[in-house]
Amino acid sequence: MFPKVNPNHKRRVPKNRTRITKEVREEVLKRSEGKCERCLRSRAYAFEMAHLVQASHGGRGDEPWNIVLLCGPSVNTGTCHNYADYTADGRAWRIGKRKELEKRYGVE
């Protein structure tokens, strides 16, 4: 009926590498000054930490140059998190923002 579960299966991307660490959260909040890093709003329904290289693609949560603070939630059309995740222009913005942050943190 159901496929056999393999207890020895290893995740392709370990979950603990994609989880955003406390240190990175603090650094991103300090860097963004509590504002959305795309539209610079200081007031929004919600602010969310977002991976520039998505976690499903191996984006790490322990690297501050891969995490940004965006207004959200990501499922609401018109928010910066939605824009970054679900539009072609947003994906281009993520690439540019990551390059900017890598330069800021001295990452090659």
Side-chain angles (χ1 to χ4, degrees), residues 1-14:
M1 224 185 228
F2 294 104
K4 184 178 176 185
V5 177
N6 182 355
N8 298 321
H9 174 74
K10 301 285 187 224
R11 292 176 57 93
R12 288 184 188 187
V13 178

Side-chain angles (χ1 to χ4, degrees), residues 29-91:
L29 285 171
K30 182 176 141 187
R31 178 184 74 215
S32 68
E33 298 175 347
K35 297 178 184 175
C36 175
E37 292 189 64
R38 180 176 169 264
C39 69
L40 303 177
R41 278 187 226 162
S42 59
R43 295 179 61 140
Y45 176 76
F47 286 104
E48 299 176 336
M49 298 280 171
H51 289 76
L52 293 173
V53 174
Q54 295 177 333
S56 61
H57 295 165
R60 297 182 60 127
D62 60 352
E63 300 170 331
W65 53 91
N66 190 45
I67 307 297
V68 291
L69 184 68
L70 297 175
C71 54
S74 65
V75 294
N76 285 7
T77 305
T79 64
C80 291
H81 199 166
N82 181 277
Y83 171 84
D85 283 353
Y86 300 110
T87 67
D89 289 341
R91 288 187 284 279

